[in-house]
Coordinates of all heavy atoms in Angstrom, one line a residue:
M554 N 0.9 -1.2 0.0 CA 0.0 0.0 0.0 C 0.9 1.2 0.0 O 1.9 1.3 0.7 CB -0.9 0.0 1.2 CG -1.9 1.1 1.2 SD -3.1 1.1 2.6 CE -3.2 -0.6 3.1
S555 N 0.6 2.2 -0.8 CA 1.3 3.4 -0.9 C 0.5 4.6 -0.6 O -0.6 4.8 -1.1 CB 1.9 3.5 -2.4 OG 2.6 4.7 -2.5
Y556 N 1.0 5.4 0.3 CA 0.3 6.7 0.7 C 1.1 7.8 0.2 O 2.3 7.9 0.3 CB 0.1 6.8 2.2 CG -0.7 5.7 2.8 CD1 -0.1 4.6 3.4 CD2 -2.1 5.7 2.7 CE1 -0.9 3.6 3.9 CE2 -2.9 4.7 3.2 CZ -2.3 3.6 3.8 OH -3.1 2.6 4.3
S557 N 0.5 8.9 -0.3 CA 1.2 10.0 -0.9 C 1.9 10.8 0.1 O 2.8 11.6 -0.2 CB 0.2 10.9 -1.7 OG -0.8 11.4 -0.8
V558 N 1.6 10.7 1.4 CA 2.4 11.5 2.4 C 3.8 10.9 2.7 O 4.6 11.6 3.2 CB 1.6 11.6 3.8 CG1 0.3 12.3 3.6 CG2 1.4 10.2 4.4
F559 N 4.0 9.6 2.2 CA 5.3 9.0 2.5 C 6.2 9.1 1.2 O 5.7 8.9 0.1 CB 5.2 7.5 2.9 CG 4.3 7.3 4.1 CD1 3.2 6.6 4.0 CD2 4.7 7.9 5.3 CE1 2.4 6.4 5.1 CE2 3.9 7.8 6.4 CZ 2.7 6.9 6.3
T560 N 7.4 9.5 1.4 CA 8.3 9.6 0.3 C 8.7 8.2 -0.2 O 8.6 7.2 0.5 CB 9.6 10.4 0.6 OG1 10.4 9.6 1.6 CG2 9.3 11.7 1.1
D561 N 9.2 8.1 -1.4 CA 9.7 6.8 -1.9 C 10.9 6.3 -1.1 O 11.0 5.2 -0.8 CB 10.2 7.0 -3.4 CG 9.1 7.2 -4.4 OD1 7.9 6.9 -4.1 OD2 9.4 7.7 -5.5
E562 N 11.7 7.3 -0.6 CA 12.8 6.9 0.3 C 12.3 6.3 1.6 O 12.9 5.3 2.1 CB 13.7 8.1 0.5 CG 14.5 8.6 -0.6 CD 13.7 9.5 -1.6 OE1 12.6 9.9 -1.2 OE2 14.2 9.6 -2.8
Q563 N 11.3 6.9 2.2 CA 10.7 6.3 3.4 C 10.2 4.9 3.2 O 10.4 4.0 4.0 CB 9.6 7.2 4.0 CG 10.2 8.5 4.5 CD 9.1 9.6 4.8 OE1 8.0 9.6 4.1 NE2 9.3 10.4 5.8
Q564 N 9.5 4.8 2.1 CA 8.9 3.4 1.8 C 10.0 2.4 1.6 O 9.9 1.3 2.0 CB 7.9 3.5 0.6 CG 6.7 4.3 1.0 CD 5.7 4.4 -0.2 OE1 5.4 3.4 -0.8 NE2 5.3 5.7 -0.5
Q565 N 11.0 2.8 0.8 CA 12.1 1.9 0.5 C 12.9 1.5 1.8 O 13.2 0.4 2.1 CB 13.1 2.5 -0.5 CG 14.2 1.5 -0.9 CD 13.7 0.3 -1.7 OE1 13.1 0.4 -2.8 NE2 13.8 -0.9 -1.1
A566 N 13.2 2.5 2.6 CA 13.9 2.2 3.9 C 13.1 1.3 4.8 O 13.6 0.4 5.4 CB 14.1 3.6 4.6
A567 N 11.7 1.5 4.8 CA 10.9 0.7 5.6 C 10.9 -0.8 5.1 O 10.9 -1.7 5.9 CB 9.5 1.2 5.7
R568 N 10.9 -0.9 3.8 CA 11.0 -2.3 3.2 C 12.3 -3.0 3.6 O 12.3 -4.1 4.0 CB 10.8 -2.2 1.7 CG 10.9 -3.5 1.0 CD 9.7 -4.4 1.4 NE 9.7 -5.7 0.8 CZ 10.0 -6.8 1.5 NH1 10.2 -6.8 2.8 NH2 10.1 -8.0 0.9
F569 N 13.4 -2.2 3.5 CA 14.7 -2.8 3.8 C 14.7 -3.1 5.4 O 15.2 -4.2 5.7 CB 15.8 -1.8 3.6 CG 16.2 -1.7 2.1 CD1 16.6 -0.4 1.6 CD2 16.0 -2.7 1.2 CE1 17.0 -0.3 0.3 CE2 16.3 -2.5 -0.2 CZ 16.8 -1.3 -0.6
A570 N 14.2 -2.2 6.2 CA 14.1 -2.4 7.6 C 13.3 -3.7 8.0 O 13.7 -4.5 8.8 CB 13.6 -1.2 8.4
K571 N 12.2 -3.9 7.3 CA 11.4 -5.0 7.6 C 12.1 -6.3 7.2 O 12.1 -7.3 8.0 CB 10.1 -5.0 6.8 CG 9.2 -6.1 7.0 CD 7.9 -6.0 6.2 CE 7.0 -7.2 6.5 NZ 6.7 -8.0 5.3
A572 N 12.8 -6.3 6.1 CA 13.5 -7.5 5.7 C 14.7 -7.8 6.7 O 15.1 -8.9 6.9 CB 14.1 -7.3 4.3
M573 N 15.3 -6.7 7.2 CA 16.4 -6.9 8.2 C 15.9 -7.2 9.6 O 16.7 -7.4 10.5 CB 17.2 -5.7 8.2 CG 17.9 -5.4 6.8 SD 18.6 -3.8 6.6 CE 20.0 -3.9 7.8
G574 N 14.6 -7.3 9.8 CA 14.1 -7.3 11.1 C 14.1 -8.7 11.9 O 13.2 -9.0 12.7
H575 N 15.1 -9.5 11.6 CA 15.2 -10.8 12.3 C 16.7 -11.1 12.4 O 17.5 -10.9 11.4 CB 14.5 -11.9 11.5 CG 14.3 -13.2 12.3 ND1 15.4 -14.0 12.5 CD2 13.3 -13.7 12.9 CE1 15.0 -15.1 13.2 NE2 13.7 -14.9 13.4
P576 N 17.2 -11.6 13.5 CA 18.6 -11.9 13.7 C 19.2 -12.9 12.7 O 20.3 -12.7 12.3 CB 18.6 -12.6 15.1 CG 17.4 -12.1 15.8 CD 16.4 -11.9 14.7
V577 N 18.4 -13.8 12.2 CA 18.9 -14.7 11.1 C 19.2 -13.9 9.9 O 20.3 -14.1 9.2 CB 17.9 -15.9 10.8 CG1 18.4 -16.6 9.5 CG2 17.8 -16.8 12.0
R578 N 18.4 -13.0 9.5 CA 18.6 -12.2 8.3 C 19.8 -11.3 8.5 O 20.5 -11.1 7.5 CB 17.3 -11.5 8.0 CG 16.2 -12.4 7.6 CD 14.9 -11.6 7.2 NE 13.8 -12.4 7.6 CZ 12.6 -11.9 8.0 NH1 12.4 -10.6 8.0 NH2 11.6 -12.8 8.2
M579 N 19.9 -10.7 9.6 CA 21.1 -9.9 9.9 C 22.4 -10.7 9.8 O 23.3 -10.2 9.3 CB 21.0 -9.2 11.3 CG 19.8 -8.3 11.4 SD 19.9 -6.9 10.3 CE 21.3 -6.0 11.0
Y580 N 22.4 -11.9 10.3 CA 23.5 -12.8 10.2 C 23.9 -13.0 8.8 O 25.0 -13.0 8.4 CB 23.2 -14.1 11.0 CG 24.4 -15.0 10.9 CD1 25.4 -15.0 11.9 CD2 24.5 -16.0 9.9 CE1 26.5 -15.9 11.8 CE2 25.5 -16.8 9.8 CZ 26.5 -16.8 10.7 OH 27.6 -17.7 10.6
V581 N 22.9 -13.4 8.0 CA 23.1 -13.7 6.6 C 23.7 -12.4 5.8 O 24.6 -12.6 5.1 CB 21.8 -14.2 5.9 CG1 21.9 -14.2 4.4 CG2 21.3 -15.5 6.4
L582 N 23.1 -11.3 6.1 CA 23.6 -10.1 5.5 C 25.1 -9.8 5.9 O 25.9 -9.5 5.1 CB 22.7 -8.9 5.8 CG 21.4 -8.9 5.2 CD1 20.5 -7.8 5.8 CD2 21.5 -8.7 3.6
E583 N 25.4 -9.9 7.2 CA 26.7 -9.7 7.6 C 27.7 -10.7 7.0 O 28.8 -10.3 6.5 CB 26.8 -9.8 9.1 CG 26.3 -8.7 9.9 CD 26.4 -8.8 11.4 OE1 27.4 -9.4 11.8 OE2 25.5 -8.3 12.1
L584 N 27.3 -12.0 6.9 CA 28.1 -13.0 6.3 C 28.4 -12.7 4.8 O 29.5 -12.7 4.3 CB 27.5 -14.4 6.4 CG 28.3 -15.5 5.9 CD1 29.5 -15.8 6.7 CD2 27.4 -16.8 5.8
L585 N 27.3 -12.4 4.1 CA 27.4 -12.1 2.6 C 28.2 -10.8 2.4 O 28.8 -10.7 1.3 CB 26.0 -12.1 2.0 CG 25.3 -13.4 2.0 CD1 23.9 -13.2 1.3 CD2 26.1 -14.5 1.2
N586 N 28.1 -9.9 3.3 CA 28.8 -8.6 3.1 C 30.3 -8.9 3.3 O 31.1 -8.1 2.7 CB 28.3 -7.6 4.1 CG 28.7 -6.2 3.7 OD1 28.8 -5.9 2.5 ND2 29.0 -5.4 4.7
K587 N 30.7 -9.9 4.1 CA 32.1 -10.1 4.4 C 32.8 -11.0 3.3 O 34.0 -11.0 3.1 CB 32.3 -10.9 5.7 CG 32.0 -10.0 6.9 CD 32.1 -10.8 8.2 CE 31.7 -10.0 9.4 NZ 31.6 -10.7 10.6
Q588 N 31.9 -11.8 2.6 CA 32.5 -12.7 1.6 C 31.7 -12.5 0.3 O 30.6 -11.9 0.4 CB 32.5 -14.2 2.0 CG 31.1 -14.7 2.4 CD 31.2 -16.1 3.0 OE1 31.9 -16.2 4.0 NE2 30.5 -17.0 2.5
S589 N 32.2 -12.9 -0.8 CA 31.6 -12.6 -2.1 C 30.2 -13.2 -2.2 O 29.2 -12.6 -2.5 CB 32.5 -13.0 -3.2 OG 32.8 -14.3 -3.2
C590 N 30.1 -14.5 -1.9 CA 28.9 -15.3 -2.0 C 28.9 -16.5 -1.1 O 29.9 -16.8 -0.5 CB 28.7 -15.8 -3.5 SG 28.5 -14.5 -4.7
C591 N 27.7 -17.1 -1.0 CA 27.6 -18.3 -0.1 C 26.5 -19.1 -0.7 O 25.5 -18.6 -1.3 CB 27.2 -17.8 1.3 SG 27.3 -19.2 2.5
Y592 N 26.6 -20.4 -0.6 CA 25.6 -21.4 -1.0 C 24.6 -21.6 0.1 O 25.0 -21.7 1.3 CB 26.2 -22.7 -1.5 CG 27.0 -22.5 -2.8 CD1 28.4 -22.3 -2.7 CD2 26.4 -22.5 -4.0 CE1 29.1 -22.1 -3.9 CE2 27.1 -22.4 -5.2 CZ 28.4 -22.1 -5.1 OH 29.1 -21.9 -6.3
S593 N 23.3 -21.8 -0.3 CA 22.3 -22.1 0.7 C 22.6 -23.3 1.6 O 22.3 -23.3 2.8 CB 20.9 -22.1 0.1 OG 20.9 -23.2 -0.9
G594 N 23.2 -24.3 1.0 CA 23.6 -25.5 1.8 C 24.6 -25.2 2.8 O 24.5 -25.7 4.0
D595 N 25.5 -24.3 2.5 CA 26.5 -23.9 3.5 C 25.9 -23.1 4.7 O 26.2 -23.3 5.8 CB 27.6 -23.0 2.9 CG 28.4 -23.8 1.8 OD1 28.4 -25.1 1.9 OD2 29.0 -23.2 1.0
L596 N 24.9 -22.3 4.4 CA 24.2 -21.5 5.4 C 23.4 -22.4 6.3 O 23.4 -22.2 7.5 CB 23.3 -20.5 4.7 CG 23.9 -19.3 4.1 CD1 22.8 -18.5 3.3 CD2 24.5 -18.4 5.1
S597 N 22.8 -23.5 5.7 CA 22.0 -24.4 6.5 C 22.9 -25.2 7.4 O 22.5 -25.7 8.5 CB 21.1 -25.3 5.7 OG 21.8 -26.1 4.8
D598 N 24.2 -25.4 7.0 CA 25.1 -26.1 7.9 C 25.6 -25.2 9.1 O 25.9 -25.7 10.2 CB 26.4 -26.5 7.1 CG 26.1 -27.6 6.1 OD1 25.1 -28.3 6.2 OD2 27.0 -27.8 5.2
I599 N 25.6 -23.9 8.9 CA 26.1 -23.0 9.9 C 25.0 -22.6 10.9 O 25.2 -22.6 12.1 CB 26.6 -21.7 9.2 CG1 27.8 -21.9 8.3 CG2 26.9 -20.6 10.3 CD1 28.1 -20.8 7.4
L600 N 23.8 -22.4 10.4 CA 22.7 -21.9 11.2 C 21.8 -23.1 11.7 O 21.5 -24.0 11.0 CB 21.8 -21.0 10.4 CG 22.4 -19.7 9.9 CD1 21.6 -19.0 8.8 CD2 22.5 -18.8 11.2
P601 N 21.5 -23.0 13.0 CA 20.8 -24.1 13.7 C 19.2 -24.0 13.5 O 18.5 -24.0 14.4 CB 21.2 -24.0 15.2 CG 21.3 -22.5 15.3 CD 21.9 -22.0 14.0
I602 N 18.8 -23.8 12.2 CA 17.4 -23.7 11.9 C 17.1 -24.7 10.7 O 18.0 -25.1 10.0 CB 17.0 -22.3 11.5 CG1 17.8 -21.8 10.3 CG2 17.1 -21.3 12.7 CD1 17.4 -20.4 9.8
A603 N 15.8 -25.0 10.6 CA 15.4 -25.9 9.5 C 15.7 -25.2 8.2 O 15.6 -24.0 8.0 CB 13.9 -26.2 9.7
K604 N 16.0 -26.1 7.1 CA 16.2 -25.6 5.8 C 15.0 -24.8 5.3 O 15.2 -23.8 4.6 CB 16.6 -26.7 4.9 CG 17.9 -27.3 5.1 CD 18.3 -28.4 4.1 CE 19.6 -28.9 4.4 NZ 20.1 -29.9 3.5
S605 N 13.8 -25.2 5.6 CA 12.6 -24.5 5.1 C 12.5 -23.1 5.8 O 12.2 -22.1 5.1 CB 11.4 -25.3 5.4 OG 11.2 -25.5 6.8
T606 N 12.9 -23.0 7.0 CA 13.0 -21.7 7.7 C 14.0 -20.8 7.1 O 13.8 -19.6 6.9 CB 13.2 -21.9 9.2 OG1 12.2 -22.8 9.8 CG2 13.2 -20.6 10.0
L607 N 15.2 -21.3 6.9 CA 16.2 -20.6 6.2 C 15.8 -20.1 4.8 O 16.0 -18.9 4.5 CB 17.5 -21.4 6.1 CG 18.7 -20.7 5.3 CD1 19.1 -19.4 6.0 CD2 19.8 -21.7 5.2
S608 N 15.1 -20.9 4.1 CA 14.6 -20.5 2.8 C 13.6 -19.4 2.9 O 13.6 -18.4 2.0 CB 13.9 -21.7 2.1 OG 14.8 -22.7 1.7
Q609 N 12.8 -19.4 3.9 CA 11.9 -18.2 4.1 C 12.6 -16.9 4.4 O 12.3 -15.9 3.8 CB 10.9 -18.5 5.2 CG 9.9 -19.6 4.9 CD 9.1 -20.0 6.1 OE1 9.4 -19.8 7.2 NE2 7.9 -20.7 5.8
H610 N 13.7 -17.0 5.2 CA 14.5 -15.8 5.5 C 15.2 -15.3 4.2 O 15.2 -14.1 4.0 CB 15.5 -16.1 6.6 CG 14.9 -16.3 8.0 ND1 14.1 -15.2 8.5 CD2 14.9 -17.3 8.8 CE1 13.7 -15.7 9.8 NE2 14.1 -16.9 10.0
L611 N 15.8 -16.2 3.5 CA 16.4 -15.8 2.2 C 15.5 -15.2 1.2 O 15.8 -14.3 0.6 CB 17.1 -17.1 1.6 CG 18.3 -17.6 2.4 CD1 18.8 -18.9 1.8 CD2 19.5 -16.6 2.5
K612 N 14.3 -15.8 1.2 CA 13.2 -15.2 0.3 C 12.9 -13.8 0.7 O 12.8 -12.9 -0.2 CB 12.0 -16.1 0.3 CG 10.9 -15.6 -0.6 CD 9.7 -16.5 -0.6 CE 8.6 -16.1 -1.5 NZ 8.3 -14.7 -1.8
E613 N 12.7 -13.5 2.0 CA 12.4 -12.2 2.4 C 13.5 -11.2 2.1 O 13.3 -10.1 1.6 CB 12.2 -12.2 4.0 CG 11.8 -10.9 4.5 CD 10.3 -10.5 4.2 OE1 9.5 -11.4 4.0 OE2 10.1 -9.3 4.1
L614 N 14.8 -11.6 2.2 CA 15.9 -10.7 1.9 C 16.0 -10.5 0.3 O 16.3 -9.5 -0.1 CB 17.2 -11.3 2.4 CG 17.4 -11.3 3.9 CD1 18.6 -12.1 4.3 CD2 17.6 -9.9 4.4
K615 N 15.7 -11.6 -0.4 CA 15.7 -11.5 -1.8 C 14.6 -10.6 -2.3 O 14.8 -9.8 -3.2 CB 15.7 -12.9 -2.4 CG 15.9 -12.9 -3.9 CD 16.0 -14.3 -4.4 CE 16.2 -14.3 -6.0 NZ 16.1 -15.6 -6.5
D616 N 13.4 -10.8 -1.8 CA 12.2 -10.0 -2.2 C 12.4 -8.5 -2.0 O 12.0 -7.7 -2.7 CB 11.0 -10.5 -1.5 CG 10.5 -11.8 -2.0 OD1 11.0 -12.3 -3.1 OD2 9.5 -12.4 -1.4
A617 N 13.2 -8.2 -0.9 CA 13.5 -6.8 -0.6 C 14.6 -6.3 -1.4 O 14.9 -5.1 -1.4 CB 13.9 -6.7 0.9
G618 N 15.3 -7.2 -2.2 CA 16.3 -6.7 -3.0 C 17.7 -6.6 -2.4 O 18.6 -6.1 -3.0
L619 N 17.8 -7.1 -1.1 CA 19.1 -7.0 -0.4 C 20.1 -8.0 -0.8 O 21.3 -7.9 -0.7 CB 18.9 -7.0 1.1 CG 18.1 -5.7 1.6 CD1 17.7 -5.9 3.1 CD2 19.0 -4.5 1.5
I620 N 19.6 -9.2 -1.3 CA 20.4 -10.3 -1.8 C 19.9 -10.7 -3.1 O 18.8 -10.4 -3.5 CB 20.6 -11.4 -0.8 CG1 19.2 -12.2 -0.6 CG2 21.1 -11.0 0.6 CD1 19.3 -13.5 0.2
Q621 N 20.8 -11.5 -3.8 CA 20.3 -12.1 -5.1 C 20.8 -13.5 -5.1 O 21.8 -13.8 -4.5 CB 20.9 -11.3 -6.3 CG 22.3 -11.0 -6.2 CD 22.7 -9.8 -7.1 OE1 22.0 -8.9 -7.4 NE2 24.0 -9.9 -7.6
G622 N 20.0 -14.3 -5.7 CA 20.3 -15.7 -5.8 C 20.5 -16.2 -7.2 O 19.9 -15.7 -8.1
E623 N 21.4 -17.1 -7.4 CA 21.7 -17.7 -8.7 C 21.7 -19.2 -8.6 O 22.4 -19.7 -7.7 CB 23.1 -17.1 -9.2 CG 23.5 -17.6 -10.5 CD 24.8 -17.0 -10.9 OE1 25.0 -15.8 -10.7 OE2 25.7 -17.7 -11.4
I624 N 21.0 -19.9 -9.4 CA 20.9 -21.4 -9.3 C 22.1 -22.0 -10.0 O 22.4 -21.7 -11.1 CB 19.6 -21.9 -9.9 CG1 18.4 -21.4 -9.2 CG2 19.6 -23.4 -10.0 CD1 17.1 -21.7 -9.9
E625 N 22.8 -22.7 -9.2 CA 23.9 -23.5 -9.7 C 23.7 -25.0 -9.2 O 24.2 -25.4 -8.2 CB 25.3 -23.0 -9.1 CG 25.7 -21.7 -9.7 CD 27.1 -21.3 -9.2 OE1 27.8 -22.0 -8.5 OE2 27.5 -20.2 -9.6
A626 N 22.8 -25.6 -10.0 CA 22.3 -27.0 -9.6 C 23.4 -27.8 -9.0 O 24.5 -27.8 -9.5 CB 21.6 -27.6 -10.8
P627 N 23.1 -28.5 -7.9 CA 21.8 -28.5 -7.2 C 21.6 -27.5 -6.1 O 20.7 -27.5 -5.3 CB 21.8 -29.9 -6.6 CG 23.2 -30.1 -6.2 CD 24.0 -29.4 -7.3
K628 N 22.5 -26.5 -6.1 CA 22.5 -25.5 -5.0 C 22.1 -24.1 -5.5 O 22.1 -23.9 -6.7 CB 23.9 -25.4 -4.3 CG 24.4 -26.6 -3.6 CD 25.7 -26.3 -3.0 CE 26.2 -27.6 -2.2 NZ 27.5 -27.3 -1.6
V629 N 21.8 -23.2 -4.6 CA 21.6 -21.8 -4.9 C 22.7 -21.0 -4.3 O 23.0 -21.1 -3.1 CB 20.2 -21.3 -4.5 CG1 20.0 -19.9 -4.9 CG2 19.1 -22.2 -5.0
K630 N 23.3 -20.1 -5.1 CA 24.4 -19.3 -4.6 C 23.8 -17.9 -4.4 O 23.2 -17.3 -5.2 CB 25.5 -19.2 -5.7 CG 26.7 -18.3 -5.2 CD 27.8 -18.3 -6.2 CE 27.5 -17.5 -7.4 NZ 28.7 -17.4 -8.3
Y631 N 24.0 -17.4 -3.1 CA 23.5 -16.1 -2.7 C 24.6 -15.1 -2.6 O 25.7 -15.5 -2.1 CB 22.7 -16.2 -1.4 CG 21.4 -16.9 -1.6 CD1 21.2 -18.2 -1.3 CD2 20.2 -16.2 -2.1 CE1 20.0 -18.9 -1.5 CE2 19.0 -16.8 -2.3 CZ 18.9 -18.2 -2.0 OH 17.7 -18.8 -2.2
C632 N 24.3 -13.9 -3.0 CA 25.3 -12.8 -2.9 C 24.6 -11.6 -2.4 O 23.4 -11.4 -2.7 CB 26.0 -12.5 -4.2 SG 26.8 -13.9 -5.0
I633 N 25.3 -10.6 -1.9 CA 24.7 -9.4 -1.5 C 24.4 -8.6 -2.8 O 25.2 -8.7 -3.7 CB 25.6 -8.6 -0.5 CG1 24.8 -7.5 0.3 CG2 26.7 -7.9 -1.2 CD1 24.6 -8.0 1.7
N634 N 23.3 -7.9 -2.8 CA 23.0 -7.0 -3.9 C 23.7 -5.7 -3.7 O 23.2 -4.9 -2.8 CB 21.5 -6.8 -4.1 CG 21.1 -6.0 -5.3 OD1 21.8 -5.0 -5.6 ND2 20.1 -6.4 -6.0
K635 N 24.9 -5.5 -4.2 CA 25.7 -4.4 -3.8 C 25.0 -3.0 -4.1 O 25.2 -2.1 -3.2 CB 27.0 -4.4 -4.6 CG 27.9 -5.6 -4.1 CD 29.2 -5.6 -4.9 CE 30.0 -6.8 -4.6 NZ 30.4 -7.1 -3.3
E636 N 24.3 -2.9 -5.1 CA 23.6 -1.6 -5.4 C 22.6 -1.3 -4.4 O 22.5 -0.2 -3.8 CB 22.9 -1.7 -6.8 CG 22.3 -0.4 -7.2 CD 21.6 -0.5 -8.6 OE1 22.1 -1.3 -9.4 OE2 20.6 0.2 -8.8
N637 N 21.7 -2.3 -4.0 CA 20.6 -2.1 -3.1 C 21.2 -2.0 -1.6 O 20.7 -1.3 -0.8 CB 19.6 -3.1 -3.1 CG 18.6 -2.9 -4.3 OD1 18.6 -1.8 -4.9 ND2 17.9 -3.9 -4.7
W638 N 22.3 -2.7 -1.4 CA 23.0 -2.7 -0.1 C 23.5 -1.2 0.2 O 23.3 -0.7 1.3 CB 24.1 -3.7 0.0 CG 24.7 -3.8 1.4 CD1 26.0 -3.5 1.6 CD2 24.1 -4.1 2.6 NE1 26.3 -3.7 3.0 CE2 25.1 -4.1 3.6 CE3 22.8 -4.5 3.0 CZ2 24.9 -4.4 5.0 CZ3 22.6 -4.8 4.3 CH2 23.6 -4.7 5.3
A639 N 24.1 -0.7 -0.8 CA 24.6 0.7 -0.7 C 23.4 1.7 -0.6 O 23.5 2.6 0.2 CB 25.4 1.0 -1.9
K640 N 22.3 1.4 -1.3 CA 21.2 2.3 -1.2 C 20.6 2.2 0.3 O 20.2 3.2 0.9 CB 20.1 1.9 -2.2 CG 18.9 2.8 -2.2 CD 18.0 2.3 -3.3 CE 16.8 3.3 -3.5 NZ 15.9 2.9 -4.6
A641 N 20.5 1.0 0.8 CA 20.0 0.8 2.2 C 20.9 1.6 3.2 O 20.3 2.3 4.1 CB 19.9 -0.7 2.5
Q642 N 22.2 1.4 3.0 CA 23.1 2.1 3.9 C 22.9 3.7 3.9 O 22.8 4.3 4.9 CB 24.5 1.8 3.6 CG 24.9 0.4 4.0 CD 26.3 0.0 3.5 OE1 26.7 0.3 2.3 NE2 27.0 -0.7 4.3
Q643 N 22.7 4.2 2.7 CA 22.5 5.6 2.5 C 21.2 6.1 3.1 O 21.1 7.1 3.8 CB 22.6 6.0 1.0 CG 22.7 7.5 0.8 CD 23.8 8.2 1.5 OE1 25.0 7.8 1.4 NE2 23.5 9.2 2.3
L644 N 20.2 5.3 2.9 CA 18.8 5.6 3.4 C 18.8 5.7 4.9 O 18.3 6.6 5.5 CB 17.8 4.6 2.9 CG 17.4 4.8 1.4 CD1 16.5 3.6 1.0 CD2 16.6 6.1 1.2
F645 N 19.4 4.7 5.5 CA 19.5 4.6 7.0 C 20.4 5.7 7.5 O 20.1 6.3 8.6 CB 20.0 3.2 7.5 CG 19.0 2.1 7.2 CD1 19.4 1.0 6.6 CD2 17.6 2.3 7.5 CE1 18.5 -0.1 6.4 CE2 16.7 1.3 7.2 CZ 17.1 0.1 6.7
K646 N 21.5 6.0 6.8 CA 22.3 7.1 7.3 C 21.6 8.4 7.2 O 21.7 9.2 8.2 CB 23.6 7.1 6.4 CG 24.6 8.2 6.9 CD 25.8 8.2 5.9 CE 26.8 9.3 6.3 NZ 26.3 10.6 6.6
N647 N 20.9 8.7 6.1 CA 20.2 9.9 6.0 C 19.1 10.0 7.1 O 18.9 11.1 7.7 CB 19.5 10.0 4.7 CG 20.4 10.1 3.5 OD1 21.6 10.4 3.8 ND2 19.9 10.0 2.3
F648 N 18.5 8.9 7.4 CA 17.4 8.9 8.5 C 18.0 9.1 9.9 O 17.5 9.9 10.6 CB 16.7 7.6 8.5 CG 15.7 7.4 9.6 CD1 14.4 8.1 9.5 CD2 15.9 6.6 10.7 CE1 13.5 8.0 10.5 CE2 15.0 6.5 11.7 CZ 13.8 7.2 11.6
L649 N 19.1 8.5 10.1 CA 19.8 8.6 11.4 C 20.5 9.9 11.7 O 20.6 10.4 12.8 CB 20.8 7.4 11.7 CG 20.1 6.0 11.7 CD1 21.2 5.0 11.7 CD2 19.2 5.9 13.0
D650 N 20.9 10.6 10.6 CA 21.5 11.9 10.6 C 20.5 13.0 10.7 O 20.9 14.2 10.9 CB 22.5 12.1 9.5 CG 23.7 11.3 9.6 OD1 24.0 10.8 10.7 OD2 24.4 11.1 8.6
Y651 N 19.2 12.7 10.5 CA 18.2 13.7 10.4 C 18.0 14.4 11.6 O 18.0 14.1 12.7 CB 16.9 13.1 9.9 CG 15.7 14.0 9.7 CD1 15.8 15.0 8.7 CD2 14.6 14.0 10.6 CE1 14.8 15.9 8.6 CE2 13.6 14.9 10.4 CZ 13.7 15.9 9.4 OH 12.7 16.8 9.2

């Protein structure tokens, strides 16, 4: 839902914030930001959660545009979306400096 009183930047920052609103997702973002990419199977080995739960978290981050996935059968390789990650950082910086 879009309301005219909210700027595009506010709406985008809120979408990023919602996607980042869980410790598992924050962990994934930190991990992907430190290394170039990671396979979903490797993440499920590291994190003590069900693969289906991890998939839901990855989907939320991907839907928000913070990560991107590439199928390399039989695995999926995830990387940080550098353009949107930089955009998120700038939006949050602008908000916090306001």
Side-chain angles (χ1 to χ4, degrees):
M554 186 176 335
S555 178
Y556 298 101
S557 61
V558 296
F559 303 122
T560 67
D561 290 343
E562 290 80 13
Q563 289 168 331
Q564 292 181 49
Q565 185 66 64
R568 179 66 184 109
F569 288 149
K571 180 179 182 244
M573 295 168 70
H575 192 284
V577 167
R578 296 180 208 148
M579 294 299 291
Y580 179 89
V581 169
L582 287 170
E583 285 181 34
L584 181 71
L585 293 179
N586 198 37
K587 290 177 187 170
Q588 59 190 53
S589 59
C590 293
C591 190
Y592 291 95
S593 57
D595 295 339
L596 288 169
S597 62
D598 290 344
I599 297 168
L600 293 165
I602 58 175
K604 288 183 181 184
S605 59
T606 303
L607 175 60
S608 291
Q609 290 173 341
H610 287 300
L611 292 170
K612 181 182 182 325
E613 185 69 31
L614 290 170
K615 190 175 177 187
D616 288 349
L619 292 170
I620 66 171
Q621 51 201 29
E623 181 179 315
I624 297 173
E625 291 186 1
K628 296 181 179 182
V629 179
K630 179 173 78 172
Y631 288 97
C632 304
I633 201 103
N634 181 319
K635 292 183 188 299
E636 182 180 334
N637 283 342
W638 183 243
K640 185 176 185 178
Q642 289 173 317
Q643 188 60 51
L644 287 169
F645 292 132
K646 182 183 181 314
N647 291 348
F648 177 74
L649 294 172
D650 287 345
Y651 182 67

